[in-house]
Structure formats: C-alpha cells, structure tokens
Amino acid sequence: MAVATVAALLAALGGGLWLAARRFVGSRAQRLQGSADSGLMRGKTVLITGANSGLGRATAAELLRMGARVIMGCRDRARAEAAAGQLRRELDQAEGPRPDARAAGELVVKELDLASLRSVRAFCQELLQEEPRLDVLINNAGIFQCPYAKTEDGFEMQFGVNHLGHFLLTHLLLGLLKNSAPSRIVVVSSKLYKYGDINFEDLNSEQSYNKSFCYSRSKLANILFTRELARRLEGTNVTVNVLHPGIVRTNLGRHINIPLLVKPLFNLVSWAFFKTPAEGAQTSIFLASSPEIEGVSGKYFGDCKEEELLPKAVDELVARKLWDISEVMVGILK
Ligand SMILES: NC(=O)c1ccc[n+]([C@@H]2O[C@H](COP(=O)([O-])OP(=O)(O)OC[C@H]3O[C@@H](n4cnc5c(N)ncnc54)[C@H](OP(=O)(O)O)[C@@H]3O)[C@@H](O)[C@H]2O)c1
Ligand SMILES: *[C@@H]1O[C@H](CO)[C@@H](O)[C@H](O)[C@H]1NC(C)=O
Ligand SMILES: *[C@@H]1O[C@H](CO)[C@@H](O)[C@H](O)[C@H]1NC(C)=O
C-alpha cells in the first residue's frame, strides 16, 4: 500500500517537473527568437484584425517591436485601447529609459466589426483617407463554435466573420496594397479546415447548424480564398499566404463550456501543452516580415514551414465558385 502511494506521489511530482520544464524550455526558445530583427519593419504599415486579444495581440506586439506602424482593427474600442496601452507599457519596460535607443513603431486603434459589412466599408473608407500605404494585411480575427447567430447582413456568424468580412476587407484594401507593393497578405486559418466542406446549398446554415462544421468550413474558406487570390495577384508583387498557428491558449474557446470540475485539469493541460500566444504568433510574424519568403504566394504554413494541404483545400473549381458567390454575398459583383 505504502509503496503504491509513494510511487503515485513520485509520478505526480515527476510529471509536474516535466510539465514545468516544458514550459521553461518553451519560453526560453521564444525569448531567443524575439531578440532578432528589431527594426526590420521600420517604415512599414501593418493592419491586424482582432489585434486586441490572443494571436493578434501577440503579432501586434512583435511587429511593433520591429518598428512597424501597426493598425489594430478591432470591434470593441475600449478593449482595443486597453490592449494598445498595455502593449506600449510592455515595450517601454523592455526598451528601458533611453529614448534614442527606441526602435519601436506605433500603434493605431480603429473600429472594425467584421460581422457588419457597413462597418467594414466605413473602416476601409477611413483607412484609405488616412493611410498613404499598407504593406501588410493580416486577416487574423476569428470566432469559434459560437451558438447559431447571424451577422448584421444575415450571414451565419462564423462564415460571416472569418471569411466574408475579411473577403470584403481585402477587396477594398487591394488597391492600396498594390500601390504599396511589394506587399503581403497573411491569412490565419486552422488545421480544423480538414473537417469542413463548402456546402454551397446552405452557406448560411439555415437548414441545419453544426457549430464545429461551420468553424471548419470558414477555415477551409480562408484557404480557398488565399489560393484564388494568389492566382489573381500573380505579377503584382502582392503575395498572400495562409497559416495554421497550432493549438494556442487564447480567448478563442469562449463559447465552449467546460464543466467546473474538469476546469482545473483543462487549465493544467492547456498550460503544459498549448502554445502561448507569443509562440502561436510566430508563423504570422514570419509571413508578415521575413525576407526569406519574399515572392512566395498561395502557400500554407505551420511552424514557419510550408505544409501540404488536403485535395479539397486546393480544388480550383471550388475556390473560384466560392470567390464568385462571396462577391455576390458581400455586394461587390462587377
Ligand atoms: N487559439 C487557437 O488554438 C487557434 C487555432 C487555430 C486557429 N486559430 C485562429 O487564430 C485567429 C485568432 O484567434 P485567437 O486564438 O487569438 O482568439 P481570440 O483571443 O478570441 O482573438 C480573436 C480576435 O478576433 C476578434 N473578433 C471576433 N469577432 C470579431 C468581429 N466580428 N469583428 C472584429 N473582430 C472580431 C476578437 O475580438 P474581441 O476580443 O472583441 O472578441 C479578438 O480580437 C482566429 O482566426 C482563429 O480561428 C486559433
Ligand atoms: C458536426 O460536424 C463535425 C465536423 O464536420 C462532425 O465531425 C460531426 O459529426 C457533426 N455533428 C453532427 C451532429 O452532425
Ligand atoms: C515587382 O518587383 C520587381 C522586382 O522589384 C520589379 O522589377 C517589377 O517591376 C515589379 N512589378 C510590379 C507589377 O510592380
């Protein structure tokens, strides 16, 4: 009996130490990566959607440190201003008191609700008036497995925000991106695209709603959109690539109910095994800033490396049909 108890205690202790070691090593690797390339983005303007939280916030922090002018496109001004204030303070602490040593860029908060085409249009109108250039657009904002809801324009919420809102946003900013070439578009998708399909007969899920399917469908749409856009942008020096960040500890799971009793276990597992936002943001940062991928377009990345896609994500006919229908849905058909 006593032996079993001691063995269990030792196993628990060993497990705890191992988890802590994993965390420690992880954050060390992250610090090392974060020490390079300051100033790489000086003079460049970057727009990040959903930049107040999770991956978007971590991406903003790093590109800001690299000297970029970072526009945070966020649906809630108060949350965005709070995040911007925090990012500025973190930067000041990291940079120290010498103002001449400061290489960092600046943060600009702008309201953008991707669940409203009116908001997307107003946002772009203002941005086009105020910004002489746009070097990088990062379509990062996303919503995950929410209960059934519709956007202001009647689209299923996940398809509406994750795909259609960004579709219109990109369309309206494409002229500025082309004028700022070489420029880049970065699309944040997810490995969960594998469980989706573009079911053209019910894009608004009015016949039936499956929240996991709809998330996966929206993330598959992100990839098909990237591939079709890359084809259309050939020869313009505007590139577009798509990525999956891995599993990252963010606010994305806000609509998932975890039973109270399981919560501590979930927190432990996610602390040990999920990426931190700064780790998860590495591929977004890489695609937005690295000279290594200059000229690369239409590709899918994970952990800063190109990855293979399933056949359904490289289907050109589906990509074109989705493009055409999206144009009709957001009202830009020429
Ligand atoms: N976390 C992961 O494990 C994981 C895995 C694969 C892919 N991803 C993708 O990573 C991206 C970022 O997610 P995250 O994990 O960083 O989650 P997060 O912490 O929840 O951040 C999502 C961001 O999107 C914003 N957003 C949601 N609806 C919006 C709308 N209608 N208009 C404008 N902004 C809106 C949120 O704004 P509020 O703060 O105002 O709600 C928030 O800033 C998403 O595209 C997600 O699909 C994440
Ligand atoms: C919902 O969709 C997911 C992903 O496509 C699938 O695995 C699951 O079986 C579906 N659930 C129902 C109830 O149809
Ligand atoms: C793209 O970039 C190359 C190399 O900088 C340049 O020669 C070419 O004119 C550019 N093309 C366009 C359409 O801007």
Side-chain angles (χ1 to χ4, degrees):
M1 262 331 244
V3 174
T5 312
V6 169
L9 279 175
L10 282 177
L13 187 65
L17 283 174
W18 179 69
L19 292 180
R22 247 190 81 89
R23 264 296 109 225
F24 176 70
V25 170
S27 52
R28 228 184 111 241
Q30 188 187 311
R31 270 202 300 277
L32 289 177
Q33 218 164 352
S35 65
D37 291 338
S38 114
L40 185 62
M41 295 297 283
R42 199 166 308 136
K44 302 208 168 172
T45 301
V46 180
L47 166 60
I48 307 174
T49 66
N52 62 289
S53 169
L55 293 167
R57 186 187 179 287
T59 306
E62 186 57 18
L63 295 176
L64 175 69
R65 203 185 59 76
M66 290 179 174
R69 171 176 171 83
V70 178
I71 302 169
M72 306 169 68
C74 301
R75 65 172 158 175
D76 186 290
R77 179 168 282 280
R79 275 200 292 272
E81 294 286 4
Q86 216 175 8
L87 288 177
R88 287 187 196 107
R89 279 193 298 280
E90 282 170 19
L91 194 73
D92 286 343
Q93 282 163 11
E95 301 261 331
R98 289 173 306 149
D100 57 343
R102 291 205 47 179
E106 52 186 332
L107 287 175
V108 181
V109 168
K110 281 192 195 294
E111 261 170 70
L112 167 64
D113 182 358
L114 292 153
S116 156
L117 297 181
R118 189 178 42 86
S119 169
V120 173
R121 286 186 183 283
F123 170 87
C124 290
Q125 197 174 13
E126 197 182 297
L127 188 138
L128 292 174
Q129 269 165 18
E130 293 176 1
E131 300 294 330
R133 59 184 302 113
L134 181 60
D135 299 278
V136 184
L137 164 63
I138 307 183
N139 290 344
N140 162 86
I143 181 162
F144 176 70
Q145 299 197 4
C146 52
Y148 189 67
K150 283 187 164 178
T151 68
E152 191 176 284
D153 307 276
F155 309 135
E156 184 276 313
M157 186 60 75
Q158 300 185 73
F159 192 70
V161 170
N162 300 356
H163 171 60
L164 289 172
H166 283 118
F167 182 87
L168 178 62
L169 179 77
T170 308
H171 168 80
L172 294 174
L173 298 179
L174 213 47
L176 185 58
L177 283 159
K178 283 179 182 165
N179 290 338
S180 314
S183 53
R184 301 176 180 195
I185 302 168
V186 177
V187 177
V188 182
S189 179
S190 162
K191 261 190 181 164
L192 291 175
Y193 86 84
K194 292 178 184 176
Y195 305 102
D197 269 305
I198 309 296
N199 57 334
F200 288 104
E201 72 292 345
D202 192 19
L203 286 180
N204 284 326
S205 303
E206 279 159 345
Q207 289 157 32
S208 70
Y209 181 62
N210 173 338
K211 61 184 184 177
S212 342
F213 172 81
C214 285
Y215 179 73
S216 293
R217 174 176 68 180
S218 74
K219 293 285 129 178
L220 174 60
N222 288 158
I223 298 173
L224 292 165
F225 164 72
T226 300
R227 309 246 336 149
E228 176 64 14
L229 182 58
R231 197 182 65 75
R232 289 168 183 251
L233 287 175
E234 266 171 38
T236 60
N237 289 343
V238 183
T239 60
V240 53
N241 290 291
V242 61
L243 68 106
H244 78 79
I247 305 177
V248 191
R249 214 166 344 115
T250 66
N251 291 322
L252 196 67
R254 69 188 83 192
H255 297 294
I256 306 298
N257 279 320
I258 296 165
L260 212 62
L261 283 174
V262 185
K263 222 162 197 156
L265 183 66
F266 176 82
N267 287 339
L268 182 69
V269 168
S270 71
W271 174 75
F273 294 104
F274 290 15
K275 290 179 180 177
T276 63
E279 289 166 343
Q282 289 305 317
T283 308
S284 298
I285 295 161
F286 172 74
L287 291 177
S289 65
S290 174
E292 265 176 63
I293 50 128
E294 216 165 79
V296 175
S297 194
K299 303 287 193 250
Y300 175 64
F301 288 82
D303 288 328
C304 302
K305 286 186 202 66
E306 195 189 330
E307 289 187 10
E308 291 280 307
L309 284 164
L310 293 183
K312 68 174 161 190
V314 297
D315 187 322
E316 289 182 18
L317 286 178
V318 174
R320 275 181 214 208
K321 190 169 169 191
L322 175 65
W323 185 281
D324 292 343
I325 287 181
S326 301
E327 281 189 337
V328 175
M329 289 177 92
V330 304
I332 56 172
L333 191 67
K334 289 159 290 228

